[in-house]
Amino acid sequence: MQLHSAILPVLAVLAARALGIPMPDASQDESLGKQLWMSTPETTQPPAGIPANYALQPARRAQPPSGAHVVAPKDRDTTDEFAHIARFDKATDLHARAPGYQNQTATIKGIVSALDPNQQSALDGGNPLAFKSKTHPYTPNTRLFDQSKFKLPLPTNRWWLNLMIEQGADPIHPYPYVVKCMQNASSVGFPRFNIDQAHVTSDQPADWTVGDGNQALTQRKVTGADALGVEVTWTGSSGAQMCSRFYKGMAFQTFEMQNMAPRLTTIHAVLKVEQLTRAVLSAQEDAAQVQRDVSDMPLMSKVTLNDGSQWLVTSKPGITWQQQGSSTLQPQNINGSYTGFVQLAHLGDQPANNINVLQRYAGTYPTAGAVTYAQVQGSDGTGRSSNVVFMYQTNTAASSDSTHVYNTSSVSTTMQLLSFVLPHHADHINGTSILSNGLSGYRCAKGPLTAVAGNLISYNQPLQQRPGFAGPGALADSDKSQLQQQLLRDAATSTNVTAEDPYFFGKGAAKVARLYQIAQEVGDATTAAALGKKLVALLTPWLVAQSNSDPLVYDSTWGGVVSTLGISDPSLDFGQGRYNDHHFHYGYFLYAGAVLAKYDVNAFAPLREPLSQLLRDYANPSASDAQFPFMRHFDPYDGHSWAAGLFTFADGRNQESTGEALNAYYAAYLYAQALGLQETAEFYEIILNMEAASGRRYWHPTRAQAAQLYGKPFVHNAVGILWSSKADYVTFFGANPEYVYGIQMLPFTPASGMLIKQDWVREAWCPDNSTCADGMKPAAQSASKNGWAQFLYTAYALVDRNAALDNAAACTPDDGNTLTNTLHWIYTNQQLAIDSN
């Protein structure tokens, strides 16, 4: 990663933190932490010390500049399944129009999308922009994308964004592989993971480079994207062209070629090339099972490298590979140019078994992807759930682009796609999709991958009890009395919000909104009225008058709302001017707006349009919106959001605060409920549950789960930062355990119980310091009664209410929290009733 020398001293302190999410100010004496660690393209570096003389300026934290350039997805004809990421065709119709899916229609018959993303959102009233427009000084690099295919608004946080920022040289991570797209070739690697107590990292090798032997390819551009993947096309002289569509979870990496001389080079030495004959394939495979003509199958070769790995290389029309030198393979049987496709697949840790599985599905690859979030089934208390469906069109489907199909007369439309799913998919997937004789030795940073077959992958997302404005449980009379007394104290002393940046201001406004909500719950009309007026007074300068010192503006270059300081200087406001953390920042605004909308419609009315536009900025439910992209941060395959914006990382995208991500979609859900937008609210409820489920699975594991996902000795009850290709037991602002735990829980709201579970807290508390010095209890004790300690004690109430109350009450609250809110969370949490304490 290239960093400008002018700000390197600042980056040494806060750059990495700013690249993911702002640091919550846990108390007046909050430490920056002892460690700061950041990713580099070369390798993972150990934590660097923070200068002792650094003066914390929370509202003006540093953010590194970047030569980043991002583009919009490809615009296609409405009949094409491979469509604009923010304008894709109706996912629910995809199976009906692609004959390759006919045998699976029964699986999805009756599934109706919770919300049609192609319709105008009910949040979009067709009103003018609520914020002044401003062009971004940081403009897209038009060399990296086809300008005729990409329209505003542009994606800013997608998993494949490295292809479009700076020089487009950093890798992307289509699990289980790592890919770099150079100007004249593409590399494909099979990462090896290195594990220590603080980090799970990968070596990100370029095991193979796929290119043209005549060096005819001279330029690569991103030429399309859809809900699940991205298309890259290389062009050059004499009509040479190569195209690949990168989707996460694919067993093969596929490259379509036209008028090329294919060449494969490796960073290792080639020890052996074995061509698999069609007779061997016929004997090994059950042709009736896969319903394909053996003569139509691609030609396959097994290649052994001197690092001990083996790869399956397939091609169609078939290429007989000839070794040249120690590390190059070129066609022996191709005279002149080649038009066809080449696939690469690593053979995992059991090559003899894996090759038999892989060759059964060789030759099929995705050409389009779509996602459906099905309507919620059931009611509270009766197993409510939603099906999340990934649908892929493939080159072997009859409706595919004919240029992607070879020997079409003998290709069966039931030739299935071979792919992998993540652990949270496998937990709830239809078991018939999982291969009984699967693939072994494939993983990503989130853990081992499970092989599935089919062009459609459907898993059941259980939905927890709907979180409301009020706490999940009723207040006991004695608790209510104590809460009312504390409410009066906090209403008098904790509502002065002076932060000038959108993150800390948003936290402050949401804090006041929590007090307002609690006042309504306890029936204190006088205090509620005063807090409601205070909330309006806080929000109006930001959203209506725009008279605050750091006004929000609409960025007409990329398509989003950013701060004035952020758009002018990427080192300010946590890089939110480059689209870092918008769901964290604006989620606080939306929570405050939702509470106001519920209780005071008249006061809310002038704030409705600007708040709706902030929601469309980070969680736009419409793919037809011309001003904001569809679901800016959310990744449907991973089941969670990515926080990092227009900044490049060798380790891919990242997210730190699952608590604030949860809060963002909780706020969106409440806002839609308050406005009476039931379809929109249902859609947000599904996203909220997906974010919570992935948060629990990957950021909140039990120690047994951590060992299974990440491997020993990375066995912790919390992950600080999760990236596309690694996991860290640190935060962007320090390595203290209280930071790692706290950032995964704050803010505490009625939705927090979706993420924070009793069994997890009980294990994580770990009172025996000799067996787990990273437990919550020693972390809370070392935090010396500050805001971080209060978060940990609040969670501990799920295990021991009385001890938690005593300790939490003795702590100084975080700047986005109050003792009233802490008491309310403990008093109303239904999980407490499960435990004898």
Side-chain angles (χ1 to χ4, degrees), residues 378-498:
S379 57
D380 274 339
T382 59
R384 295 172 61 251
S385 66
S386 170
N387 283 323
V388 180
V389 186
F390 304 144
M391 292 176 282
Y392 299 95
Q393 181 172 328
T394 69
N395 62 310
T396 56
S399 63
S400 293
D401 185 339
S402 61
T403 61
H404 302 156
V405 180
Y406 304 91
N407 300 330
T408 54
S409 61
S410 60
V411 174
S412 168
T413 61
T414 59
M415 292 192 331
Q416 294 180 317
L417 185 67
L418 179 63
S419 62
F420 296 100
V421 294
L422 293 169
H424 78 280
H425 301 140
D427 291 343
H428 300 287
I429 201 168
N430 182 343
T432 59
S433 300
I434 298 176
L435 296 182
S436 56
N437 183 22
L439 295 169
S440 173
Y442 300 85
R443 67 158 296 152
C444 67
K446 287 184 168 73
L449 300 169
T450 300
V452 296
N455 299 0
L456 178 147
I457 300 171
S458 176
Y459 76 95
N460 183 266
Q461 176 60 63
L463 302 183
Q464 300 186 60
Q465 181 177 341
R466 289 187 180 98
F469 286 88
L475 279 165
D477 289 341
S478 58
D479 292 340
K480 182 177 179 180
S481 175
Q482 294 181 41
L483 189 61
Q484 285 176 308
Q485 294 175 37
Q486 186 60 44
L487 172 64
L488 292 175
R489 288 190 287 267
D490 283 334
T493 61
S494 300
T495 60
N496 187 25
V497 180
T498 60

Side-chain angles (χ1 to χ4, degrees), residues 640-675:
H640 64 79
S641 299
W642 296 115
L646 302 179
F647 297 90
T648 185
F649 303 93
D651 298 304
R653 302 290 93 194
N654 67 70
Q655 178 158 277
E656 183 181 52
S657 178
T658 53
E660 288 179 307
L662 185 85
N663 183 65
Y665 301 114
Y666 169 55
Y669 169 73
L670 291 184
Y671 188 82
Q673 286 278 31
L675 270 58

Side-chain angles (χ1 to χ4, degrees), residues 34-47:
K34 305 279 194 304
Q35 308 278 339
L36 178 71
W37 171 85
M38 64 183 296
S39 168
T40 68
E42 294 76 25
T43 184
T44 299
Q45 299 295 329

Side-chain angles (χ1 to χ4, degrees), residues 12-27:
V13 183
L14 283 169
R17 172 65 175 125
L19 291 174
I21 163 186
M23 179 177 74
D25 185 6
S27 72

Side-chain angles (χ1 to χ4, degrees), residues 510-749:
K511 174 181 67 175
V512 175
R514 285 294 301 141
L515 294 175
Y516 182 32
Q517 167 63 36
I518 294 168
Q520 296 284 356
E521 284 183 58
V522 300
D524 187 340
T526 301
T527 302
L531 288 167
K533 290 179 180 178
K534 178 66 176 179
L535 191 57
V536 172
L538 287 171
L539 293 174
T540 298
W542 279 80
L543 301 177
V544 180
Q546 297 177 23
S547 57
N548 59 301
S549 63
D550 188 11
L552 299 176
V553 296
Y554 178 78
D555 165 22
S556 59
T557 302
W558 301 94
V561 178
V562 296
S563 68
T564 297
L565 292 177
I567 197 174
S568 62
D569 187 342
S571 69
L572 299 179
D573 293 351
F574 308 108
Q576 81 108 268
R578 298 277 183 92
Y579 294 92
N580 282 353
D581 309 340
H582 278 207
H583 56 327
F584 300 156
H585 294 204
Y586 299 150
Y588 286 115
F589 281 77
L590 263 297
Y591 176 79
V595 175
L596 193 61
K598 178 175 177 60
Y599 295 111
D600 193 339
V601 174
N602 292 331
F604 167 74
L607 301 167
R608 175 170 178 163
E609 188 59 34
L611 282 166
S612 294
Q613 290 181 22
L614 289 187
L615 180 52
R616 287 162 60 202
D617 174 272
Y618 78 82
N620 187 6
S622 172
S624 63
D625 196 317
Q627 295 166 327
F628 302 96
F630 179 76
M631 298 300 293
R632 185 184 300 279
H633 296 273
F634 192 74
D635 186 324
Y637 182 87
D638 285 83
H640 64 79
S641 299
W642 296 115
L646 302 179
F647 297 90
T648 185
F649 303 93
D651 298 304
R653 302 290 93 194
N654 67 70
Q655 178 158 277
E656 183 181 52
S657 178
T658 53
E660 288 179 307
L662 185 85
N663 183 65
Y665 301 114
Y666 169 55
Y669 169 73
L670 291 184
Y671 188 82
Q673 286 278 31
L675 270 58
L677 310 177
Q678 292 307 312
E679 286 188 354
T680 305
E682 183 171 306
F683 171 74
Y684 285 141
E685 184 188 4
I686 297 168
I687 301 299
L688 172 63
N689 277 271
M690 292 175 71
E691 190 82 39
S694 288
R696 294 192 308 273
R697 195 69 167 91
Y698 304 118
W699 280 266
H700 287 208
T702 65
R703 291 180 183 261
Q705 288 172 336
Q708 184 258 345
L709 293 176
Y710 304 115
K712 297 180 179 180
F714 191 88
V715 182
H716 304 284
N717 284 115
V719 171
I721 312 165
L722 193 58
W723 303 70
S724 302
S725 64
K726 70 178 175 184
D728 295 322
Y729 186 73
V730 294
T731 70
F732 282 120
F733 52 93
N736 293 8
E738 64 266 29
Y739 301 162
V740 177
Y741 284 113
I743 200 65
Q744 302 311 335
M745 296 189 288
L746 66 85
F748 279 76
T749 71

Side-chain angles (χ1 to χ4, degrees), residues 235-418:
T235 56
S237 58
S238 302
Q241 179 174 301
M242 183 169 74
C243 178
S244 187
R245 299 172 191 86
F246 299 109
Y247 290 91
K248 283 184 281 194
M250 294 301 122
F252 293 90
Q253 292 300 305
T254 305
F255 298 88
E256 296 173 343
M257 300 177 178
Q258 293 182 23
N259 302 316
M260 281 180 54
R263 180 174 66 181
L264 306 179
T265 59
T266 176
I267 59 173
H268 312 289
V270 176
L271 299 183
K272 193 175 185 180
V273 180
E274 304 171 74
Q275 182 171 311
L276 305 180
T277 65
R278 297 189 189 281
V280 171
L281 291 170
S282 179
Q284 291 178 341
E285 298 305 315
D286 181 354
Q289 177 182 351
V290 297
Q291 299 184 35
R292 65 193 300 181
D293 190 322
V294 170
S295 65
D296 178 69
M297 297 176 74
L299 193 61
M300 308 185 200
S301 298
K302 182 174 72 173
V303 181
T304 303
L305 304 179
N306 72 341
D307 68 338
S309 67
Q310 293 184 322
W311 292 73
L312 181 64
V313 181
T314 84
S315 55
K316 187 177 178 182
I319 296 174
T320 301
W321 296 100
Q322 181 179 33
Q323 184 174 344
Q324 291 191 349
S326 62
S327 59
T328 300
L329 299 181
Q330 293 196 162
Q332 184 181 25
N333 61 328
I334 303 296
N335 294 319
S337 63
Y338 174 81
T339 294
F341 66 78
V342 173
Q343 294 181 303
L344 298 169
H346 193 278
L347 295 185
D349 62 1
Q350 295 184 19
N353 176 71
N354 290 343
I355 195 170
N356 289 333
V357 177
L358 285 161
Q359 65 189 16
R360 182 183 305 165
Y361 300 93
T364 299
Y365 56 90
T367 59
V371 181
T372 288
Y373 307 94
Q375 283 181 341
V376 174
Q377 301 297 313
S379 57
D380 274 339
T382 59
R384 295 172 61 251
S385 66
S386 170
N387 283 323
V388 180
V389 186
F390 304 144
M391 292 176 282
Y392 299 95
Q393 181 172 328
T394 69
N395 62 310
T396 56
S399 63
S400 293
D401 185 339
S402 61
T403 61
H404 302 156
V405 180
Y406 304 91
N407 300 330
T408 54
S409 61
S410 60
V411 174
S412 168
T413 61
T414 59
M415 292 192 331
Q416 294 180 317
L417 185 67
L418 179 63

